[in-house]
Structure formats: structure tokens, C-alpha cells
Amino acid sequence: FSQEELPYHTAEATIRNTVLRTDASLDRHLTYPQEAAAYIRHHAGSVVLVKSCNVDFTFDNVRMEPDPRGTHALIHTAINSDIAFMVRVPEGQRHPGQKIRMRNMAVCGDILHEDYQRDLYLTLEDAALTGKIFTGTADTWNALAYEAGFPSFAIDPEGYHTVHGSHLYLTGSSRWTVTETSSLHELVLEDTAQIAPPEGKRLAMTVDGVPVALAAGHYQGDIRVTVS
């Protein structure tokens, strides 16, 4: 595919009735340059890693077990380290993005959406998620690249104003237990679904900085769910 065609292609998969587990203790027999090694360490242990591409994945009755010695991420999106495929989404455009559906399952881990050039659409269908959801921006990606030791992977965000983010749809009897402060661009909470804090904690939500009651509904903007 050409560089013009590639950004619009989507990888599709359905995974059912299995276990996906990572082990961050496995010996590595390959050596990488310093920056590449730092980049790899950053996403070590993530169960599903998506790098600068579109996906449409359905997980049905799947156990997902990230190694806690790594990122503790169930789903982790990032900017690709391969410059040939680090295709910047042009200003004002939206590529298909990353569509993730979890059905009939209960998982514990985080959703880390660091690919600020695409939207992440996460749908829980009679599923339970315990963890945080992080929505990154060009600025947070660049800050991460410098902090984690791969500064040449930073991308000049000048003139890039399109807002992409994480979209969460809680349907049926789904439940999200929020373990740490989380950020979203869109939230759809059905009457039968729940958002709850860990035991002994409280939740508060703001949309574009304005406090909003955490109730069933459709919310869009800079959404923050804080745990205290």
C-alpha cells in the first residue's frame, strides 16, 4: 500500500474464550540502540499494543492479564517507532481509529491511549473493567518521549489542533471501577451500566472543567473522572 492508502486500512480480529497474558520477566536475546530500548521498555507488559494504525478488535469472554511489572495496560496505543509508518494524520482529518469491544468478561488493568493522532472507541458490552483510562495529547506524548529516554520519537505538534481522544460506551450491565484519575473525550453511560470507585473511595466528574453529576447520559468534551 502507498503512504496515502495505508492510514485508512484497518486490522480486524475477534478473540473468544481464551487467555491473553504478558510476562515481563522473559529474557531478551536481542539488543537495541539506547532510544529503541527505552521505547520498548515503555510499553513492556501491555497485553494489546497498537502503534499508529487502525484496528477493529472484539474480545468475547477473554481473560486479559497484564504483568504488573510492566505498564499494567490491557490496551495500549502509541506512536509507531518505525519512521516509515509513523504517518501523521493530517490536521482536520479523522482516520478510522481504534475500535475495541469487550463482551461478557471482567478484566483488571489500564487503557492507555497515547496515539493522539487517532480516536480510541472502547465499548463494554455486559463487561467489567477495573482500571484507569488515559487520553494522551501531542504534548503528553512529547513529554513522555523526553522523560522516558526516546526524545527523537517526539513529533513537532505545531499547527496540530484536531482533538482526538478516548470514547467510552458502557452498555447493558457493564461496570467501570475507576482506580485512578481518568480522562476521556466522550462518555456514554446507559441506565443499566455503572461507574464506581474502589471501596472506600469517591468519584467526581468534570466536563470542560465544570463539575457534572455522574449519572446516565451522553457527555462530550474534556472529561475528567477523579478518585479521592
Side-chain angles (χ1 to χ4, degrees):
F1 302 110
S2 70
Q3 289 290 82
E4 291 72 29
E5 295 174 310
L6 188 64
Y8 292 95
H9 285 271
T10 298
E12 299 181 357
T14 298
I15 300 95
R16 296 189 179 95
N17 306 321
T18 192
V19 179
L20 301 177
R21 180 184 298 118
T22 56
D23 186 348
S25 70
L26 295 177
D27 290 335
R28 296 177 176 84
H29 299 288
L30 297 175
T31 58
Y32 297 91
Q34 183 175 348
E35 278 197 301
Y39 175 84
I40 292 169
R41 284 195 302 272
H42 167 63
H43 52 66
S46 298
V47 177
V48 176
L49 176 65
V50 181
K51 302 197 296 183
S52 289
C53 62
N54 311 304
V55 299
D56 191 336
F57 291 164
T58 297
F59 300 91
D60 191 344
N61 189 33
V62 174
R63 284 171 53 194
M64 304 176 76
E65 300 176 359
D67 190 325
R69 291 168 293 187
T71 63
H72 201 248
L74 303 167
I75 307 294
H76 192 168
T77 73
I79 300 297
N80 201 336
S81 58
D82 185 342
I83 195 66
F85 295 98
M86 198 187 299
V87 183
R88 174 170 166 166
V89 178
E91 171 66 21
Q93 292 189 18
R94 291 189 182 276
H95 289 178
Q98 295 121 358
K99 300 177 177 66
I100 305 291
R101 282 171 295 278
M102 296 181 177
R103 296 174 177 161
N104 309 308
M105 52 194 283
V107 289
C108 183
D110 299 328
I111 309 296
L112 304 180
H113 181 44
E114 295 175 346
D115 182 358
Y116 66 87
Q117 299 178 9
R118 292 166 182 80
D119 290 273
L120 171 68
Y121 303 91
L122 175 62
T123 302
L124 301 187
E125 302 176 6
D126 298 317
L129 167 66
T130 299
K132 71 176 181 183
I133 298 176
F134 170 78
T135 299
T137 64
D139 288 337
T140 61
W141 172 260
N142 287 343
L144 168 67
Y146 284 101
E147 180 182 347
F150 45 94
S152 66
F153 291 40
I155 296 177
D156 182 3
E158 184 65 29
Y160 194 87
H161 303 294
T162 304
V163 177
H164 301 283
S166 301
H167 307 252
L168 177 62
Y169 308 100
L170 291 164
T171 69
S173 60
S174 294
R175 178 185 175 94
W176 175 28
T177 301
V178 188
T179 56
E180 297 181 48
T181 294
S182 296
S183 49
L184 300 165
H185 184 59
E186 180 184 23
L187 170 64
V188 175
L189 178 61
E190 292 189 351
D191 291 339
T192 52
Q194 290 182 301
I195 298 178
E199 186 175 354
K201 301 289 186 178
R202 294 182 297 175
L203 294 182
M205 184 171 75
T206 61
V207 179
D208 295 329
V210 179
V212 175
L214 222 173
H218 183 192
Y219 308 90
Q220 287 182 296
D222 179 10
I223 302 169
R224 306 282 170 162
V225 181
T226 58
V227 183
S228 61

mmCIF file of all heavy atoms in Angstrom, residues 124-162:
data_model
loop_
_atom_site.group_PDB
_atom_site.id
_atom_site.type_symbol
_atom_site.label_atom_id
_atom_site.label_comp_id
_atom_site.label_asym_id
_atom_site.label_seq_id
_atom_site.Cartn_x
_atom_site.Cartn_y
_atom_site.Cartn_z
ATOM 1 N N LEU A 124 -17.906 -1.416 26.244
ATOM 2 C CA LEU A 124 -18.104 -2.544 27.151
ATOM 3 C C LEU A 124 -19.530 -3.034 27.003
ATOM 4 O O LEU A 124 -20.480 -2.257 27.163
ATOM 5 C CB LEU A 124 -17.841 -2.124 28.603
ATOM 6 C CG LEU A 124 -16.458 -1.565 28.948
ATOM 7 C CD1 LEU A 124 -16.338 -1.370 30.452
ATOM 8 C CD2 LEU A 124 -15.354 -2.443 28.426
ATOM 9 N N GLU A 125 -19.678 -4.296 26.669
ATOM 10 C CA GLU A 125 -20.990 -4.917 26.497
ATOM 11 C C GLU A 125 -21.133 -6.014 27.546
ATOM 12 O O GLU A 125 -20.550 -7.094 27.405
ATOM 13 C CB GLU A 125 -21.129 -5.488 25.080
ATOM 14 C CG GLU A 125 -20.951 -4.442 23.979
ATOM 15 C CD GLU A 125 -20.990 -5.033 22.589
ATOM 16 O OE1 GLU A 125 -21.264 -6.254 22.460
ATOM 17 O OE2 GLU A 125 -20.741 -4.295 21.619
ATOM 18 N N ASP A 126 -21.881 -5.721 28.610
ATOM 19 C CA ASP A 126 -22.010 -6.664 29.730
ATOM 20 C C ASP A 126 -20.625 -7.114 30.198
ATOM 21 O O ASP A 126 -20.364 -8.303 30.383
ATOM 22 C CB ASP A 126 -22.866 -7.869 29.328
ATOM 23 C CG ASP A 126 -24.282 -7.464 28.967
ATOM 24 O OD1 ASP A 126 -24.863 -6.638 29.676
ATOM 25 O OD2 ASP A 126 -24.807 -7.971 27.946
ATOM 26 N N ALA A 127 -19.751 -6.148 30.376
ATOM 27 C CA ALA A 127 -18.376 -6.421 30.777
ATOM 28 C C ALA A 127 -18.008 -5.528 31.946
ATOM 29 O O ALA A 127 -18.640 -4.499 32.199
ATOM 30 C CB ALA A 127 -17.420 -6.187 29.604
ATOM 31 N N ALA A 128 -16.948 -5.917 32.659
ATOM 32 C CA ALA A 128 -16.474 -5.154 33.811
ATOM 33 C C ALA A 128 -15.004 -4.808 33.609
ATOM 34 O O ALA A 128 -14.185 -5.686 33.311
ATOM 35 C CB ALA A 128 -16.656 -5.950 35.099
ATOM 36 N N LEU A 129 -14.691 -3.542 33.782
ATOM 37 C CA LEU A 129 -13.316 -3.053 33.682
ATOM 38 C C LEU A 129 -12.940 -2.399 35.001
ATOM 39 O O LEU A 129 -13.655 -1.518 35.490
ATOM 40 C CB LEU A 129 -13.198 -2.037 32.543
ATOM 41 C CG LEU A 129 -11.908 -1.206 32.496
ATOM 42 C CD1 LEU A 129 -10.714 -2.100 32.190
ATOM 43 C CD2 LEU A 129 -12.022 -0.083 31.462
ATOM 44 N N THR A 130 -11.824 -2.824 35.564
ATOM 45 C CA THR A 130 -11.272 -2.190 36.753
ATOM 46 C C THR A 130 -9.911 -1.617 36.377
ATOM 47 O O THR A 130 -8.983 -2.371 36.068
ATOM 48 C CB THR A 130 -11.122 -3.195 37.906
ATOM 49 O OG1 THR A 130 -12.416 -3.714 38.254
ATOM 50 C CG2 THR A 130 -10.506 -2.529 39.136
ATOM 51 N N GLY A 131 -9.808 -0.292 36.368
ATOM 52 C CA GLY A 131 -8.556 0.339 35.972
ATOM 53 C C GLY A 131 -8.788 1.785 35.588
ATOM 54 O O GLY A 131 -9.891 2.313 35.719
ATOM 55 N N LYS A 132 -7.758 2.432 35.112
ATOM 56 C CA LYS A 132 -7.856 3.815 34.677
ATOM 57 C C LYS A 132 -7.855 3.884 33.156
ATOM 58 O O LYS A 132 -7.427 2.952 32.471
ATOM 59 C CB LYS A 132 -6.707 4.668 35.227
ATOM 60 C CG LYS A 132 -5.361 4.365 34.582
ATOM 61 C CD LYS A 132 -4.274 5.301 35.098
ATOM 62 C CE LYS A 132 -2.925 4.988 34.424
ATOM 63 N NZ LYS A 132 -1.828 5.815 34.932
ATOM 64 N N ILE A 133 -8.329 5.020 32.628
ATOM 65 C CA ILE A 133 -8.282 5.295 31.196
ATOM 66 C C ILE A 133 -7.527 6.609 31.018
ATOM 67 O O ILE A 133 -7.925 7.636 31.582
ATOM 68 C CB ILE A 133 -9.686 5.392 30.583
ATOM 69 C CG1 ILE A 133 -10.422 4.059 30.752
ATOM 70 C CG2 ILE A 133 -9.608 5.771 29.105
ATOM 71 C CD1 ILE A 133 -11.866 4.084 30.256
ATOM 72 N N PHE A 134 -6.461 6.559 30.237
ATOM 73 C CA PHE A 134 -5.642 7.745 29.997
ATOM 74 C C PHE A 134 -5.777 8.175 28.544
ATOM 75 O O PHE A 134 -5.615 7.364 27.629
ATOM 76 C CB PHE A 134 -4.173 7.460 30.313
ATOM 77 C CG PHE A 134 -3.239 8.554 29.876
ATOM 78 C CD1 PHE A 134 -3.110 9.712 30.626
ATOM 79 C CD2 PHE A 134 -2.498 8.432 28.708
ATOM 80 C CE1 PHE A 134 -2.246 10.728 30.228
ATOM 81 C CE2 PHE A 134 -1.638 9.432 28.299
ATOM 82 C CZ PHE A 134 -1.511 10.589 29.051
ATOM 83 N N THR A 135 -6.065 9.440 28.310
ATOM 84 C CA THR A 135 -6.142 10.003 26.970
ATOM 85 C C THR A 135 -4.989 10.972 26.776
ATOM 86 O O THR A 135 -4.906 11.987 27.464
ATOM 87 C CB THR A 135 -7.482 10.740 26.754
ATOM 88 O OG1 THR A 135 -8.560 9.803 26.914
ATOM 89 C CG2 THR A 135 -7.543 11.347 25.372
ATOM 90 N N GLY A 136 -4.102 10.651 25.848
ATOM 91 C CA GLY A 136 -2.926 11.471 25.629
ATOM 92 C C GLY A 136 -3.130 12.541 24.569
ATOM 93 O O GLY A 136 -4.100 12.527 23.813
ATOM 94 N N THR A 137 -2.201 13.483 24.528
ATOM 95 C CA THR A 137 -2.188 14.563 23.554
ATOM 96 C C THR A 137 -0.789 14.623 22.933
ATOM 97 O O THR A 137 0.128 13.914 23.356
ATOM 98 C CB THR A 137 -2.503 15.908 24.214
ATOM 99 O OG1 THR A 137 -1.440 16.212 25.150
ATOM 100 C CG2 THR A 137 -3.834 15.865 24.958
ATOM 101 N N ALA A 138 -0.633 15.493 21.947
ATOM 102 C CA ALA A 138 0.698 15.691 21.367
ATOM 103 C C ALA A 138 1.688 16.122 22.451
ATOM 104 O O ALA A 138 2.839 15.664 22.485
ATOM 105 C CB ALA A 138 0.634 16.724 20.247
ATOM 106 N N ASP A 139 1.247 16.985 23.342
ATOM 107 C CA ASP A 139 2.140 17.473 24.390
ATOM 108 C C ASP A 139 2.530 16.366 25.367
ATOM 109 O O ASP A 139 3.687 16.270 25.784
ATOM 110 C CB ASP A 139 1.486 18.629 25.145
ATOM 111 C CG ASP A 139 1.416 19.899 24.305
ATOM 112 O OD1 ASP A 139 2.217 20.029 23.362
ATOM 113 O OD2 ASP A 139 0.552 20.754 24.596
ATOM 114 N N THR A 140 1.565 15.518 25.761
ATOM 115 C CA THR A 140 1.913 14.460 26.708
ATOM 116 C C THR A 140 2.810 13.415 26.046
ATOM 117 O O THR A 140 3.686 12.843 26.703
ATOM 118 C CB THR A 140 0.665 13.782 27.292
ATOM 119 O OG1 THR A 140 -0.111 13.182 26.236
ATOM 120 C CG2 THR A 140 -0.192 14.773 28.060
ATOM 121 N N TRP A 141 2.601 13.159 24.732
ATOM 122 C CA TRP A 141 3.480 12.208 24.042
ATOM 123 C C TRP A 141 4.911 12.748 23.990
ATOM 124 O O TRP A 141 5.874 12.026 24.286
ATOM 125 C CB TRP A 141 2.977 11.917 22.631
ATOM 126 C CG TRP A 141 3.966 11.100 21.849
ATOM 127 C CD1 TRP A 141 4.864 11.535 20.919
ATOM 128 C CD2 TRP A 141 4.201 9.693 21.989
ATOM 129 N NE1 TRP A 141 5.633 10.497 20.463
ATOM 130 C CE2 TRP A 141 5.260 9.350 21.092
ATOM 131 C CE3 TRP A 141 3.629 8.699 22.773
ATOM 132 C CZ2 TRP A 141 5.736 8.041 20.979
ATOM 133 C CZ3 TRP A 141 4.113 7.387 22.652
ATOM 134 C CH2 TRP A 141 5.158 7.083 21.761
ATOM 135 N N ASN A 142 5.061 14.006 23.651
ATOM 136 C CA ASN A 142 6.397 14.575 23.563
ATOM 137 C C ASN A 142 7.073 14.613 24.933
ATOM 138 O O ASN A 142 8.269 14.324 25.059
ATOM 139 C CB ASN A 142 6.335 15.971 22.956
ATOM 140 C CG ASN A 142 6.054 15.940 21.462
ATOM 141 O OD1 ASN A 142 6.218 14.901 20.822
ATOM 142 N ND2 ASN A 142 5.627 17.053 20.900
ATOM 143 N N ALA A 143 6.316 14.964 25.967
ATOM 144 C CA ALA A 143 6.875 14.969 27.320
ATOM 145 C C ALA A 143 7.332 13.570 27.717
ATOM 146 O O ALA A 143 8.401 13.387 28.320
ATOM 147 C CB ALA A 143 5.843 15.498 28.318
ATOM 148 N N LEU A 144 6.515 12.564 27.364
ATOM 149 C CA LEU A 144 6.874 11.177 27.649
ATOM 150 C C LEU A 144 8.148 10.777 26.924
ATOM 151 O O LEU A 144 9.031 10.135 27.490
ATOM 152 C CB LEU A 144 5.725 10.262 27.224
ATOM 153 C CG LEU A 144 6.028 8.765 27.186
ATOM 154 C CD1 LEU A 144 6.266 8.251 28.594
ATOM 155 C CD2 LEU A 144 4.887 8.003 26.517
ATOM 156 N N ALA A 145 8.252 11.162 25.651
ATOM 157 C CA ALA A 145 9.423 10.785 24.860
ATOM 158 C C ALA A 145 10.707 11.308 25.498
ATOM 159 O O ALA A 145 11.730 10.594 25.557
ATOM 160 C CB ALA A 145 9.279 11.309 23.434
ATOM 161 N N TYR A 146 10.686 12.527 26.001
ATOM 162 C CA TYR A 146 11.872 13.091 26.646
ATOM 163 C C TYR A 146 12.125 12.450 28.012
ATOM 164 O O TYR A 146 13.265 12.131 28.360
ATOM 165 C CB TYR A 146 11.730 14.599 26.789
ATOM 166 C CG TYR A 146 11.951 15.333 25.481
ATOM 167 C CD1 TYR A 146 10.869 15.782 24.727
ATOM 168 C CD2 TYR A 146 13.238 15.555 24.998
ATOM 169 C CE1 TYR A 146 11.063 16.441 23.508
ATOM 170 C CE2 TYR A 146 13.440 16.206 23.790
ATOM 171 C CZ TYR A 146 12.355 16.646 23.052
ATOM 172 O OH TYR A 146 12.556 17.280 21.853
ATOM 173 N N GLU A 147 11.055 12.256 28.765
ATOM 174 C CA GLU A 147 11.207 11.699 30.117
ATOM 175 C C GLU A 147 11.668 10.249 30.087
ATOM 176 O O GLU A 147 12.496 9.825 30.903
ATOM 177 C CB GLU A 147 9.879 11.809 30.867
ATOM 178 C CG GLU A 147 9.917 11.250 32.279
ATOM 179 C CD GLU A 147 8.574 11.329 32.970
ATOM 180 O OE1 GLU A 147 7.672 12.027 32.475
ATOM 181 O OE2 GLU A 147 8.426 10.686 34.021
ATOM 182 N N ALA A 148 11.119 9.457 29.160
ATOM 183 C CA ALA A 148 11.400 8.019 29.124
ATOM 184 C C ALA A 148 12.677 7.677 28.361
ATOM 185 O O ALA A 148 13.090 6.514 28.356
ATOM 186 C CB ALA A 148 10.211 7.272 28.524
ATOM 187 N N GLY A 149 13.280 8.649 27.680
ATOM 188 C CA GLY A 149 14.564 8.391 27.062
ATOM 189 C C GLY A 149 14.545 8.103 25.580
ATOM 190 O O GLY A 149 15.501 7.524 25.054
ATOM 191 N N PHE A 150 13.453 8.512 24.873
ATOM 192 C CA PHE A 150 13.470 8.370 23.411
ATOM 193 C C PHE A 150 13.059 9.691 22.753
ATOM 194 O O PHE A 150 12.068 9.775 22.042
ATOM 195 C CB PHE A 150 12.609 7.200 22.933
ATOM 196 C CG PHE A 150 11.249 7.068 23.568
ATOM 197 C CD1 PHE A 150 10.121 7.627 22.989
ATOM 198 C CD2 PHE A 150 11.078 6.346 24.742
ATOM 199 C CE1 PHE A 150 8.869 7.495 23.548
ATOM 200 C CE2 PHE A 150 9.822 6.199 25.324
ATOM 201 C CZ PHE A 150 8.711 6.775 24.712
ATOM 202 N N PRO A 151 13.848 10.759 22.968
ATOM 203 C CA PRO A 151 13.457 12.091 22.511
ATOM 204 C C PRO A 151 13.317 12.237 21.001
ATOM 205 O O PRO A 151 12.541 13.086 20.540
ATOM 206 C CB PRO A 151 14.572 12.994 23.048
ATOM 207 C CG PRO A 151 15.732 12.086 23.285
ATOM 208 C CD PRO A 151 15.131 10.782 23.700
ATOM 209 N N SER A 152 14.036 11.435 20.215
ATOM 210 C CA SER A 152 13.910 11.578 18.765
ATOM 211 C C SER A 152 12.564 11.062 18.258
ATOM 212 O O SER A 152 12.216 11.258 17.101
ATOM 213 C CB SER A 152 15.050 10.847 18.044
ATOM 214 O OG SER A 152 14.955 9.453 18.228
ATOM 215 N N PHE A 153 11.788 10.408 19.135
ATOM 216 C CA PHE A 153 10.466 9.909 18.768
ATOM 217 C C PHE A 153 9.400 10.987 18.966
ATOM 218 O O PHE A 153 8.241 10.776 18.659
ATOM 219 C CB PHE A 153 10.103 8.673 19.597
ATOM 220 C CG PHE A 153 10.912 7.449 19.294
ATOM 221 C CD1 PHE A 153 12.265 7.531 19.062
ATOM 222 C CD2 PHE A 153 10.315 6.199 19.230
ATOM 223 C CE1 PHE A 153 13.025 6.417 18.794
ATOM 224 C CE2 PHE A 153 11.065 5.066 18.958
ATOM 225 C CZ PHE A 153 12.417 5.172 18.738
ATOM 226 N N ALA A 154 9.790 12.113 19.539
ATOM 227 C CA ALA A 154 8.843 13.221 19.700
ATOM 228 C C ALA A 154 8.490 13.782 18.331
ATOM 229 O O ALA A 154 9.285 13.714 17.383
ATOM 230 C CB ALA A 154 9.443 14.306 20.587
ATOM 231 N N ILE A 155 7.273 14.322 18.232
ATOM 232 C CA ILE A 155 6.779 14.847 16.967
ATOM 233 C C ILE A 155 6.424 16.313 17.160
ATOM 234 O O ILE A 155 5.790 16.681 18.146
ATOM 235 C CB ILE A 155 5.551 14.050 16.486
ATOM 236 C CG1 ILE A 155 5.959 12.605 16.190
ATOM 237 C CG2 ILE A 155 4.926 14.686 15.258
ATOM 238 C CD1 ILE A 155 4.812 11.716 15.771
ATOM 239 N N ASP A 156 6.823 17.137 16.207
ATOM 240 C CA ASP A 156 6.517 18.560 16.273
ATOM 241 C C ASP A 156 5.012 18.761 16.137
ATOM 242 O O ASP A 156 4.443 18.494 15.081
ATOM 243 C CB ASP A 156 7.256 19.297 15.157
ATOM 244 C CG ASP A 156 7.015 20.801 15.214
ATOM 245 O OD1 ASP A 156 6.322 21.251 16.146
ATOM 246 O OD2 ASP A 156 7.520 21.507 14.325
ATOM 247 N N PRO A 157 4.331 19.237 17.186
ATOM 248 C CA PRO A 157 2.866 19.374 17.134
ATOM 249 C C PRO A 157 2.408 20.712 16.578
ATOM 250 O O PRO A 157 1.220 21.013 16.585
ATOM 251 C CB PRO A 157 2.469 19.241 18.598
ATOM 252 C CG PRO A 157 3.615 19.875 19.331
ATOM 253 C CD PRO A 157 4.868 19.555 18.523
ATOM 254 N N GLU A 158 3.334 21.533 16.114
ATOM 255 C CA GLU A 158 2.990 22.874 15.658
ATOM 256 C C GLU A 158 1.886 22.825 14.600
ATOM 257 O O GLU A 158 1.988 22.120 13.598
ATOM 258 C CB GLU A 158 4.222 23.576 15.079
ATOM 259 C CG GLU A 158 3.974 25.019 14.671
ATOM 260 C CD GLU A 158 3.639 25.910 15.867
ATOM 261 O OE1 GLU A 158 4.116 25.602 16.976
ATOM 262 O OE2 GLU A 158 2.912 26.886 15.685
ATOM 263 N N GLY A 159 0.814 23.569 14.849
ATOM 264 C CA GLY A 159 -0.285 23.622 13.887
ATOM 265 C C GLY A 159 -1.247 22.452 13.975
ATOM 266 O O GLY A 159 -2.193 22.366 13.192
ATOM 267 N N TYR A 160 -1.039 21.537 14.933
ATOM 268 C CA TYR A 160 -1.915 20.365 15.047
ATOM 269 C C TYR A 160 -2.933 20.616 16.152
ATOM 270 O O TYR A 160 -2.595 20.579 17.334
ATOM 271 C CB TYR A 160 -1.086 19.124 15.370
ATOM 272 C CG TYR A 160 -1.856 17.831 15.181
ATOM 273 C CD1 TYR A 160 -1.903 17.203 13.950
ATOM 274 C CD2 TYR A 160 -2.550 17.255 16.235
ATOM 275 C CE1 TYR A 160 -2.613 16.035 13.770
ATOM 276 C CE2 TYR A 160 -3.262 16.094 16.072
ATOM 277 C CZ TYR A 160 -3.285 15.481 14.840
ATOM 278 O OH TYR A 160 -4.002 14.318 14.650
ATOM 279 N N HIS A 161 -4.168 20.887 15.749
ATOM 280 C CA HIS A 161 -5.184 21.275 16.731
ATOM 281 C C HIS A 161 -6.380 20.311 16.776
ATOM 282 O O HIS A 161 -7.267 20.490 17.600
ATOM 283 C CB HIS A 161 -5.691 22.687 16.430
ATOM 284 C CG HIS A 161 -4.603 23.708 16.397
ATOM 285 N ND1 HIS A 161 -3.878 24.066 17.512
ATOM 286 C CD2 HIS A 161 -4.080 24.431 15.370
ATOM 287 C CE1 HIS A 161 -2.973 24.974 17.180
ATOM 288 N NE2 HIS A 161 -3.070 25.215 15.892
ATOM 289 N N THR A 162 -6.411 19.331 15.881
ATOM 290 C CA THR A 162 -7.508 18.376 15.890
ATOM 291 C C THR A 162 -7.509 17.613 17.212
ATOM 292 O O THR A 162 -6.474 17.119 17.648
ATOM 293 C CB THR A 162 -7.391 17.381 14.728
ATOM 294 O OG1 THR A 162 -7.316 18.110 13.503
ATOM 295 C CG2 THR A 162 -8.597 16.447 14.678
#
